[in-house]
Amino acid sequence: MKVEFDEDVCIGMFQCVAEWDAFEEDKSKGKAILADSEDVEDGLFVREVPDDAELDAKFAARSCPVDAITIYDDDGEQVIP
């Protein structure tokens, strides 16, 4: 499973931070950041989700009010949103 985070879409509500500790607040930007992620495009970050964090990652994606977080299963199929 992997998570994709679009920093440009993020509006800094930080609900994802409360759901999964891979997300952190960057108060200087007013946006969340995805720790240990790779910047694959300008403002688009991707990382693998550890097996023991899959539920937390899904909750983080579901809690985002602007759908800045996308979850993909191991086959590359979009699961959330």
Side-chain angles (χ1 to χ4, degrees):
M1 176 177 284
K2 75 175 183 175
V3 60
E4 184 179 86
F5 172 61
D6 191 334
E7 185 180 71
D8 294 334
V9 174
C10 177
I11 59 172
M13 295 298 292
F14 303 121
Q15 291 169 314
C16 58
V17 174
E19 297 296 339
W20 186 26
D21 60 6
F23 284 99
E24 302 169 358
E25 290 184 32
D26 183 344
K27 293 186 180 183
S28 66
K29 288 184 177 180
K31 296 183 179 272
I33 57 170
L34 180 58
D36 300 323
S37 62
E38 178 184 346
D39 189 355
V40 295
E41 267 181 48
D42 189 34
L44 189 64
F45 297 86
V46 175
R47 74 169 270 183
E48 291 295 319
V49 178
D51 291 339
D52 64 345
E54 288 183 359
L55 190 58
D56 292 340
K58 289 177 180 178
F59 279 131
R62 286 187 180 113
S63 73
C64 182
V66 292
D67 294 333
I69 304 166
T70 307
I71 303 291
Y72 296 91
D73 66 16
D74 291 333
D75 295 325
E77 297 292 320
Q78 184 173 329
V79 178
I80 301 169

